[in-house]
Amino acid sequence: MSKVIGTSVNRHEGRAKVTGTATYGAEHQISELVYGYLIVATIANGRIKKMELKEAQDSDGVLAIFTHENMPAFPKANEGTSFHIGEPRLPLADDRIHYGGQIIGLVVADTLERACHAASLVKVEYEIETPTIDRQQASFQKSPRDASFEQGNVADALVTAPVKISATYTTPRQLHAMMEPHPIIAQWHDRNSLTVCEPTQWLFLQQRTYATLFGIPVEQVRVISPYIGGGFGAKAWPWPHAILCIAAAREINRPLKVVVSRQQMAAIVGHRSPTEQTIELGASQSGQLIAIAHAAKSYTSPVNPKYVENCIGVTPTMYAAPNLCVEQEIAVVNVGMPTFMRAPGENPGMYALESAMDELAWALQIDPIELRLKNATTEHQRKKLPFSSKHFAECLKLGAEQFRWCDRPMQTKAISRDDKLVGWGMAAATFPAIRMGASATVRLLLDGTAQVLTAANDMGTGSYTVVAIAAAETLDLPVYKIKVEIGDSRFPNGGLAGGSMMTASLAPAVVNACQLLLQEVNAKNATEAVIALRESGRPFLEMTASSQPGEEGKQWAFQSWGAHFCEVEVDELLGRVQVKRWISVMDVGRAMNAKAAASQIRGGVIMGIGEALMEECLHDLNLGLPVIKDLATYHIPVNADIPRIEVSFVGKPDLNFNPLGVRGCGEIAITGVSAAIANAVYHATGKRIRNLPITADKLLL
């Protein structure tokens, strides 16, 4: 049998990407295509009194302008159809303005340049109301998605705890800032048949949502998304610009392309909500946790006052305490809709928790690894279930050995190099293991090659290759003999690329389809199956199979684990922090492709370094408009900011989770990164920075 699972396999689609033959959302060539450009609000709260359109309508090449006054009505939702949109308010629903940058119109013209020019000619008169932008002025209420949890008596335990710390940590609004913006091409073949070319993390949900909104059968909607230039959660649901594009294309009876500009993306396609988290820890003198209190605040938009950045969900999974309380509040501010962003909730939650654990270790004067080992929980304290597989201790111990953690001084400002202070920091990483139902079709051809067809997608994570690996292993074929076709809703449902669940969901379905194909002709491998196929006179063998979770979630809690270790240099005169060394050790079950899995971890660490040191989206407190809104002002890491990142994996296949023992690794990597850096900065400088990002102004004060 071909033993390919767990080895390092080059990207199946790599050549297409580097040679430019991979087709992304805005690149599909369609005849008679016209172009749309969005008109967005320049106030953050109020209503539209008047829109002067004549000059724009008379501009060369303009075909139509859509506003709230002529927006086509949407049919009644189809009963029993899945339906989810990124912003619950439909586009151009009324004259209300809920946030700066909100879509208030769409210009359609024969070229993009003409559409953009005409949009600049539209004059809007507003009735302005004072927006709530400053988070200090926001009113908080208990989270409608009540994730609060309490065991024991935290208040009393904190009063009597021999050692305790209390601190508040904040994270700013963060943008996804993926390379590819949000494009869509909508083409109606008649009023009841639609093709959409759009990068989406979940083809089947997109297909069903559009069918629902436009009152047509699901099978009459085709969504095409073979490649995605980054998503991080922002491309999981349809956004208003996409719905508007499809509606406009139907009205003008022409295929229409709309691409959200980089500046517009700062407002209308989601962001990570800012958070404020207060953590209180109480412990014995020996470091045994007695109490944990974690209170979080996050912010949402008037268009969806129920969205919560669930920072507290991670706390019951990490450290055991007889007295534990977590609670969350939210406030509505006049900004665009927040949404999922890599490790939503877990990422900011782990920043606060792992920073607090470091502070407790300093208060106790014990090693932070020792503190974590002493208090790691063996069960999910909310679910009261044991973990299916946990090798967290191995992550800590191997990382410490590789980093030479034993050489770390137990004092701050103890190491210097080239007139810079040097600090070492570490933090844990974790993310839940999730899977959903997924399906795939496998086809074996007479020439001994195989095809895999599934409506999955690849946003840079390596799905093409993982699917090929699963098929190659089961059919006993070389990987190069597997052709993978994904990103088309005509194929079987490949599931969601989110929540680190695609590989865990899809790979078992591919294996099942391959096994059924071999069983069909009583073959042990593809070579025997091809012989049977030729004897049968058929052109190919084909099987479709699915995989879905069973009852295992009633017996086990599923979670992945990890540890980060880093070294930073701090220039005290300039307030500059540079990460010089990084080691990550992960327990993610079986890694289908060792090379791609390590790359995923490195990508998460890089994103976390940006979050820790530079990323922040600010709004003008008076106007309510984003002032950080492009890649010139929203700073992200470049090569010079990133050291060599060493990645190791520990643990065993988690066969309680799925038949392959595979858990996801896309999101765990970012959790704990910002805390490790903040802890290293403290070790270097003796200054505890609790408000991200860690910028020069905070270090120099």
Side-chain angles (χ1 to χ4, degrees), residues 618-639:
L618 299 171
H619 282 63
D620 185 296
L621 295 182
N622 295 313
L623 298 178
L625 301 176
V627 294
I628 305 293
K629 55 184 180 180
D630 53 34
L631 295 182
T633 52
Y634 188 79
H635 297 161
I636 57 177
V638 297
N639 285 348

Side-chain angles (χ1 to χ4, degrees), residues 50-133:
K50 182 181 179 182
M51 295 183 73
E52 295 183 11
L53 305 178
K54 188 174 187 318
E55 186 178 2
Q57 290 168 334
D58 293 341
S59 184
D60 289 345
V62 172
L63 303 174
I65 300 178
F66 295 91
T67 71
H68 66 281
E69 295 181 339
N70 67 340
M71 178 66 187
F74 290 95
K76 185 178 179 180
N78 298 333
E79 292 186 8
T81 305
S82 299
F83 174 70
H84 190 104
I85 54 180
E87 180 179 307
R89 176 185 179 274
L90 290 172
L92 310 184
D94 50 44
D95 63 359
R96 285 293 309 173
I97 305 297
H98 298 281
Y99 59 88
Q102 176 183 313
I103 298 171
I104 60 173
L106 176 70
V107 176
V108 179
D110 58 355
T111 70
L112 174 60
E113 292 78 11
R114 285 174 163 177
C116 182
H117 174 66
S120 71
L121 300 177
V122 174
K123 297 179 176 62
V124 185
E125 186 178 341
Y126 299 101
E127 185 178 290
I128 302 174
E129 300 174 23
T130 303
T132 301
I133 302 295

Side-chain angles (χ1 to χ4, degrees), residues 446-490:
L446 287 167
D447 63 0
T449 63
Q451 298 174 339
V452 184
L453 312 175
T454 180
N457 56 67
D458 193 319
M459 56 178 173
T461 53
S463 301
Y464 279 99
T465 315
V466 163
V467 168
I469 287 171
E473 176 97 2
T474 313
L475 296 174
D476 195 11
L477 284 173
V479 173
Y480 71 85
K481 286 195 172 185
I482 310 295
K483 181 182 179 182
V484 179
E485 294 185 47
I486 64 176
D488 191 327
S489 62
R490 295 180 304 178

Side-chain angles (χ1 to χ4, degrees), residues 147 192 254 278 345 413 525 610:
N192 292 304
R254 293 279 294 276
T278 299
K413 305 184 77 168
N525 53 45

Side-chain angles (χ1 to χ4, degrees), residues 392-404 565 583-586 648-650:
F392 178 47
E394 289 94 320
C395 293
L396 292 170
K397 292 174 182 177
L398 180 59
E401 179 184 339
Q402 292 177 342
F403 199 82
R404 293 292 301 169
F565 295 79
I583 287 175
S584 295
V585 183
M586 295 289 154
S648 300
F649 294 99
V650 300

Side-chain angles (χ1 to χ4, degrees), residues 264-296:
Q264 292 167 346
M265 284 171 60
I268 63 175
V269 289
H271 60 268
R272 194 196 299 277
S273 167
T275 70
E276 179 182 313
Q277 303 173 69
T278 299
I279 292 188
E280 296 177 274
L281 302 178
S284 66
Q285 292 287 358
S286 65
Q288 197 71 46
L289 281 170
I290 297 169
I292 302 173
H294 187 173

